[in-house]
Amino acid sequence: MSLFKAREWWSTSVGEEEEFDQGCLCVADVDNSGSGYDKVIVGSYMGFLRIYSPHPAKAGDEMKAEDLLLEVQLRNSILQVEVGKFVSGTELLHLAVLHPRKLCVYSVSGTLGNIEHGNQYQIKLMYEHNLQRTACNMTYGPFGGVKGRDLICIQSMDGMLMFFEQESYAFGRFLPGFLLPGPLSYSCRTDAFITVSSCRQVESYKYQALAVATDADTRQEAEQQKLGSGKRLVADWVVSIGEQALDICIVSFGQAASSVFVLGERNFFCLKENGQIRFMKKLEYNPSCFRPYASVSEGTVNTLIGNHNNMMFIYQDVTLKWAAQLPYTPVTVHVATFQDLKGVLVSLSDTGYLQCSYLGTDPMLFQAPKVDSREVNYDELDIEMKKLRKIIKQTEKSQDLLPRARKEDDLTVIAAVSSNLDPVSQATDSEAGDEHVPSVTVKITVKTRILVQNVKLSVSVQPPLAVTQDQFIFKSIEPAACQFATFAVFLKGNCSPAELTGDAAVTYSSPTGIPQVAQCKFSLPLKLVCSPAQPSKNANYKITIDTNKPPVNLTSLFPDFLSQTDEEQMNVVGFQLIAGSRVTLLASKTSQRYRIQSEQFEDLWLITKELIQRFEKHFAVQGVKDFMCSFSGTIPLQEYFDMMDHHFELRLNGVKYQELLSERAVQFRAIQRRLLARFKDKTPASLQNLDVLLDGTYRQIISLADAVEENQRSLSKAFTRLKSATHLVITLIGLWQNLNKEQVAILESAFLPILQDMQELGWEESVDAAVSHLLRTCLSKSPKEQALNLTSHLSMPKDNSRMKKHITLLCDRLGKGGRLCLSSESNVQQAVIIPDSCSTIHESDQEEKVQKVIQVRGML
């Protein structure tokens, strides 16, 4: 039994499938019984009004039928219920019910019963007001200092305060600068209304200022009267709280000054009568409701604050005094007095769970039995400890600490890619020219051995590839059952992709409610992005791959692009990329060399990758284990640098366009302000061609926005081409220096640190940082190069010259025997802390001094 749990004294479920909110609960002696005990009044959005009088025989008892004094269904939704002296000629309490378009005041009375069913209660309509505007909330009090009666103020959804002097309508005023309605409360000590505006300011308006302000039937009239004659409505004081308020309460106990309590979204404020902040408390949770009440300590106020974590916190000013767990999230809370208990917490949830609770716990009657003392045999304990240590060591050697395989076996994801292209292409909105764009079908199978719920399958491919459907949702999957998802992949963009792979990830909830993830990868066929074509004799870019095995017939390597009967094409094959150039693959008849050539440098990548993969598969089938590919030519860095320059130039253009667009936007707003001032001027004057300037600026903004979008599309295309070229260069470096998979992975993480360019972080600065880190650590030539500056800022460079020098230096050091390794044993390194900018690396003592180095990605 938890001490920090609200103890249920009485509870009930109010209605079925009804909704409740902040103003739907009120506690008061509404039937004027004179006993001083409160009744609980609850109104719902469905129009039901209920009055309860809780009196359980013992704490935790279920509600009895006689606890419900009254239940009546009204015609309209109930927004708020309040109890006060709302009827003239009497000081008895009456019930005010606020509907969206009506205010009703009722008298609640009870009749003593002469039979076993007990007393009987009924309500009588005293008067009602039909509202011309949709109501939001209301407050009441002795406005203007009247004695013995309460007036009502209703705030409408369009910002009008409507005042009612009981049976008659008094006047209405619009709040200045209104946008959305906020909480509203009345302070009887200062005779002022306090609300929180959409500007996130607490504003106080004197009742007298509202009464003498110029009347207006519409907001347009109110705005016009501000420019003309009449009393303008001005706030008495304004305090900015910087967040939207959930509720406002004004409390005063005894002769102490009143305090204004404001509950914000993340903070809790207490203001004095004049608007000065008395104190504030930053909340570490999202509050849902609050209620200040009297404290036993003089000069302090206790406050109940409920939150969305089903907790109720009790503060004495800013000090947390108690915390209690509730079975639901409260939307409103009150402190009430009943016949058997004082200070009861009455709370209501949005679904209608009404609970009266108290703090603390019931006494614990259990007593732990005494333990018989005995002497400890240390020799036996030592033998048992040795056995346990031996079992632990054997367990650590035989299995992982985390049962990964078991979790993966709970749900399995299998992707199957069709071996043939779709007979009817499913490509939509493709930008890859006017030619026929093929598509291929992928089938995902989800198998499970346990019951899983909330299953969501997400599919992703690298742009410019696209899928016909990227998300599939299954409510639940039974044990030993399978679910299937089918979609098509096609080329959407106007460039060749850098990767022909995709990912399928499944998120689901286990029977215990724990979220889990299962995923798999799938490879797409080369036919999806290219088709057979006639070989080309001439090309601008060529690379040659060497092997250590006899030449292989290209017909056996590419049966999907060459037929067995075409003997003339056994040593040459042509590929026409759908969104690229023509690529030709030539095999030497006498040597073990293969040449790939194309008109575009980046188009060499896909064919080179496919050739190496098919080589490995071909020789693996034959049982050859020592097959190797190599590259003996010069790394095409100049062609790679040209693509880097083109990508960087587009990034610079994007920055220039953004600056121009910002300047034109500022100019456009300035012209608008000038025109607005001219239109408001009572004396007609010439516009001095401001309208022409406004139209011209608008056209410039539209043109610049189009240019930004076009540059962004070009940048995305250039980045995809740059990724293809980067993959090609990494592959050639790996073949050149015979790097293993771990070393190639280090290069890929250095040269491809991000998936796409962003405004805050681009490819150039990220790669320069990673390459600089490699040159400083595993490829360093002296301990001096390992000293790094302690800064942590990444910024866009002015040019690519420094990065080009670093990449050239990286290749040079790899060619001289340098090896990529991230382990601390290979090089004795100093502690590396994130640096600020890239520096030129020393090749000799005569080179330039070390400049600042950029931050290295976390994976390095």
Side-chain angles (χ1 to χ4, degrees):
M1 185 178 295
S2 174
L3 180 66
F4 299 102
K5 182 178 180 181
R7 306 300 302 153
E8 180 181 317
W9 182 69
W10 178 90
S11 65
T12 184
S13 293
V14 182
E16 295 181 359
E17 298 183 357
E18 297 184 39
E19 296 182 9
F20 303 84
D21 206 350
Q22 191 177 65
C24 296
L25 176 66
C26 180
V27 293
D29 187 16
V30 67
D31 60 342
N32 299 284
S33 63
S35 62
Y37 302 137
D38 293 325
K39 312 296 186 300
V40 181
I41 304 102
V42 181
S44 73
Y45 284 165
M46 302 303 174
F48 285 92
L49 178 68
R50 300 176 179 90
I51 302 178
Y52 296 91
S53 178
H55 52 278
K58 61 179 181 179
D61 282 355
E62 295 182 357
M63 187 199 78
K64 300 178 182 179
E66 55 267 27
D67 292 345
L68 179 59
L69 304 183
L70 178 70
E71 181 177 14
V72 61
Q73 183 176 10
L74 306 178
R75 295 182 178 179
N76 302 308
S77 300
I78 299 176
L79 302 180
Q80 190 172 346
V81 290
E82 297 290 351
V83 175
K85 303 173 184 179
F86 301 135
V87 178
S88 59
T90 178
E91 294 190 5
L92 295 178
L93 297 178
H94 290 76
L95 176 64
V97 180
L98 179 63
H99 301 288
R101 285 281 185 167
K102 184 183 291 186
L103 171 65
C104 300
V105 176
Y106 296 95
S107 171
V108 181
S109 59
T111 305
L112 294 176
N114 297 325
I115 56 177
E116 62 181 1
H117 296 298
N119 302 335
Q120 300 188 11
Y121 289 81
Q122 60 272 350
I123 62 172
K124 179 182 178 182
L125 179 64
M126 304 304 293
Y127 62 87
E128 65 179 19
H129 293 288
N130 292 318
L131 307 178
Q132 300 299 319
R133 286 176 165 76
T134 302
C136 176
N137 52 24
M138 69 175 175
T139 186
Y140 69 95
F143 305 161
V146 297
K147 302 293 184 180
R149 57 179 181 153
D150 293 324
L151 309 184
I152 298 177
C153 174
I154 298 176
Q155 179 179 208
S156 67
M157 295 297 292
D158 59 352
M160 186 178 189
L161 299 182
M162 297 172 284
F163 295 88
F164 297 89
E165 295 183 357
Q166 297 184 340
E167 290 86 350
S168 61
Y169 172 74
F171 59 89
R173 298 289 182 268
F174 280 101
L175 293 176
F178 180 86
L179 181 60
L180 293 173
L184 178 68
S185 188
Y186 171 74
S187 174
C188 58
R189 284 185 176 270
T190 59
D191 193 26
F193 294 87
I194 299 175
T195 184
V196 177
S197 67
S198 299
C199 299
R200 300 180 176 181
Q201 296 175 342
V202 183
E203 300 175 352
S204 174
Y205 296 93
K206 291 284 189 180
Y207 176 73
Q208 179 147 8
L210 291 165
V212 302
T214 305
D215 197 3
D217 293 333
T218 63
R219 176 163 295 279
Q220 288 77 9
E221 293 181 9
E223 296 295 336
Q224 292 175 2
Q225 289 169 358
K226 288 181 183 179
L227 303 177
S229 60
K231 189 72 174 178
R232 183 180 179 183
L233 181 58
V234 180
D236 184 37
W237 51 262
V238 175
V239 176
S240 176
I241 60 174
E243 59 183 314
Q244 191 58 43
L246 303 180
D247 198 3
I248 294 178
C249 285
I250 301 172
V251 295
S252 60
F253 305 107
Q255 300 298 323
S258 63
S259 299
V260 180
F261 289 87
V262 181
L263 180 64
E265 295 173 330
R266 299 298 291 180
N267 294 279
F268 169 56
F269 303 88
C270 179
L271 310 178
K272 296 181 181 179
E273 295 177 350
N274 57 1
Q276 295 180 356
I277 295 182
R278 182 181 167 197
F279 63 81
M280 67 172 288
K281 173 71 175 178
K282 181 175 177 60
L283 306 177
E284 301 298 331
Y285 48 82
N286 294 324
S288 60
C289 62
F290 86 134
R291 181 67 53 183
Y293 67 98
S295 174
V296 294
S297 301
E298 186 177 353
T300 62
V301 177
N302 287 1
T303 307
L304 296 167
I305 300 181
N307 65 11
H308 289 277
N309 296 328
N310 301 348
M311 293 291 294
M312 183 71 70
F313 294 95
I314 295 89
Y315 292 89
Q316 187 178 73
D317 287 349
V318 296
T319 305
L320 179 63
K321 291 295 184 180
W322 200 264
Q325 182 77 39
L326 293 174
Y328 54 85
T329 299
V331 295
T332 180
V333 62
H334 287 262
V335 180
T337 300
F338 297 114
Q339 184 174 357
D340 301 322
L341 193 61
K342 295 182 179 180
V344 179
L345 305 184
V346 183
S347 55
L348 178 69
S349 72
D350 58 347
T351 58
Y353 189 81
L354 177 65
Q355 176 177 290
C356 298
S357 55
Y358 58 93
L359 306 178
T361 183
D362 297 334
M364 179 65 68
L365 302 178
F366 173 77
Q367 293 183 355
K370 294 182 179 180
V371 180
D372 295 336
S373 61
R374 60 180 180 178
E375 295 182 358
V376 179
N377 191 332
Y378 292 100
D379 294 336
E380 294 180 357
L381 292 178
D382 191 29
I383 295 173
E384 184 180 359
M385 178 63 72
K386 290 180 179 179
K387 292 182 179 179
L388 294 175
R389 287 179 176 174
K390 186 177 181 181
I391 294 174
I392 292 174
K393 288 183 178 179
Q394 291 177 353
T395 305
E396 290 178 349
K397 292 179 180 179
S398 60
Q399 64 181 8
D400 294 335
L401 295 178
L402 297 177
R404 298 178 183 175
R406 182 178 179 182
K407 289 187 177 180
E408 292 177 357
D409 291 340
D410 290 345
L411 187 141
T412 307
V413 187
I414 303 174
V417 182
S418 176
S419 58
N420 298 319
L421 299 178
D422 296 335
V424 178
S425 176
Q426 302 183 42
T428 57
D429 301 329
S430 177
E431 302 173 0
D434 298 332
E435 298 180 2
H436 175 71
V437 178
S439 65
V440 65
T441 299
V442 181
K443 183 179 181 180
I444 305 293
T445 304
V446 181
K447 298 181 180 179
T448 177
R449 64 179 185 85
I450 60 175
L451 174 64
V452 293
Q453 297 178 342
N454 303 324
V455 182
K456 181 179 179 181
L457 169 63
S458 300
V459 181
S460 64
V461 293
Q462 292 293 330
L465 295 176
V467 295
T468 54
Q469 184 176 352
D470 59 353
Q471 288 188 355
F472 302 86
I473 298 176
F474 310 104
K475 187 174 182 181
S476 63
I477 302 179
E478 298 293 332
C482 296
Q483 288 287 352
F484 303 97
T486 304
F487 58 91
V489 184
F490 61 93
L491 181 64
K492 186 174 184 179
N494 192 18
C495 61
S496 298
E499 292 285 347
L500 285 176
T501 58
D503 297 288
V506 177
T507 60
Y508 62 96
S509 298
S510 64
T512 58
I514 301 175
Q516 301 286 352
V517 179
Q519 58 184 357
C520 73
K521 291 182 176 292
F522 55 89
S523 299
L524 300 171
L526 183 63
K527 294 186 296 182
L528 185 65
V529 295
C530 68
S531 59
Q534 288 295 327
S536 176
K537 296 182 179 179
N538 300 322
N540 294 331
Y541 304 99
K542 304 175 183 179
I543 60 173
T544 302
I545 304 296
D546 298 331
T547 63
N548 61 346
K549 296 299 175 183
V552 181
N553 190 347
L554 295 183
T555 306
S556 60
L557 283 180
F558 295 92
D560 47 347
F561 287 89
L562 289 175
S563 62
Q564 298 289 343
T565 58
D566 195 357
E567 298 181 356
E568 297 181 358
Q569 301 293 334
M570 293 177 59
N571 297 319
V572 60
V573 57
F575 306 89
Q576 177 61 53
L577 296 176
I578 296 177
S581 61
R582 182 171 299 180
V583 184
T584 302
L585 173 60
L586 300 166
S588 175
K589 297 180 180 180
T590 57
S591 62
Q592 304 158 359
R593 311 183 75 183
Y594 302 85
R595 172 177 292 179
I596 304 104
Q597 58 187 23
S598 175
E599 294 296 329
Q600 295 183 7
F601 178 67
E602 69 277 4
D603 290 343
L604 299 173
W605 158 240
L606 287 179
I607 308 303
T608 303
K609 177 184 178 182
E610 191 73 15
L611 176 64
I612 296 174
Q613 289 180 347
R614 298 200 180 196
F615 268 145
E616 294 174 349
K617 184 178 180 181
H618 173 78
F619 288 106
V621 171
Q622 296 181 357
V624 178
K625 296 183 179 180
D626 59 345
F627 169 75
M628 282 182 53
C629 290
S630 61
F631 177 74
S632 57
T634 304
I635 302 297
L637 291 181
Q638 186 56 48
E639 293 83 354
Y640 183 48
F641 291 160
D642 291 341
M643 301 199 67
M644 289 167 46
D645 292 337
H646 176 63
H647 175 264
F648 188 69
E649 181 182 358
L650 291 174
R651 287 190 64 193
L652 293 178
N653 292 340
V655 174
K656 294 178 182 178
Y657 285 138
Q658 291 289 350
E659 292 176 353
L660 289 174
L661 190 60
S662 300
E663 292 176 1
R664 294 299 179 268
V666 172
Q667 177 179 321
F668 189 74
R669 289 191 293 270
I671 298 171
Q672 283 182 320
R673 287 194 295 268
R674 294 289 299 273
L675 279 174
L676 187 60
R678 291 293 180 90
F679 290 146
K680 285 186 176 181
D681 195 354
K682 295 181 180 179
T683 304
S686 174
L687 296 179
Q688 297 180 350
N689 295 325
L690 285 175
D691 54 340
V692 179
L693 186 58
L694 181 71
D695 182 67
T697 306
Y698 174 76
R699 295 178 183 275
Q700 290 179 358
I701 290 176
I702 296 300
S703 300
L704 286 172
D706 294 339
V708 169
E709 291 181 354
E710 180 63 28
N711 185 79
Q712 187 62 37
R713 287 192 292 267
S714 300
L715 181 62
S716 177
K717 181 179 178 181
F719 185 65
T720 302
R721 297 174 58 192
L722 181 61
K723 285 196 295 184
S724 298
T726 303
H727 279 297
L728 178 61
V729 171
I730 292 174
T731 301
L732 295 180
I733 292 176
L735 298 178
W736 173 44
Q737 290 298 315
N738 192 22
L739 302 180
N740 56 33
K741 293 183 178 181
E742 290 77 11
Q743 294 172 328
V744 173
I746 294 175
L747 279 181
E748 289 179 348
S749 60
F751 281 86
L752 295 169
I754 57 176
L755 295 178
Q756 60 182 2
D757 277 326
M758 296 177 289
Q759 191 72 18
E760 300 81 8
L761 182 65
W763 182 83
E764 283 78 8
E765 51 265 35
S766 301
V767 172
D768 200 4
V771 173
S772 299
H773 175 73
L774 294 178
L775 293 173
R776 292 285 189 181
T777 53
C778 57
L779 296 178
S780 62
K781 298 185 65 176
S782 64
K784 294 182 180 180
E785 293 186 356
Q786 298 178 1
L788 299 181
N789 296 327
L790 308 181
T791 49
S792 59
H793 181 66
L794 281 171
S795 60
M796 183 176 176
K798 295 182 180 179
D799 52 51
N800 280 336
S801 58
R802 185 167 50 192
M803 182 172 62
K804 294 177 183 178
K805 189 172 184 179
H806 288 171
I807 294 176
T808 305
L809 190 55
L810 174 75
C811 297
D812 186 40
R813 291 192 180 178
L814 286 175
K816 292 180 180 179
R819 280 295 172 261
L820 297 170
C821 182
L822 296 181
S823 63
S824 58
E825 298 176 356
S826 60
N827 289 287
V828 180
Q829 303 176 15
Q830 299 179 358
V832 178
I833 303 179
I834 300 173
D836 182 46
S837 60
C838 285
S839 63
T840 304
I841 309 301
H842 286 289
E843 180 61 23
S844 63
D845 294 338
Q846 288 76 21
E847 291 190 4
E848 300 176 355
K849 293 184 178 180
V850 180
Q851 303 175 3
K852 297 181 180 179
V853 183
I854 303 180
Q855 174 183 7
V856 183
R857 285 181 59 82
M859 65 178 66
L860 296 178

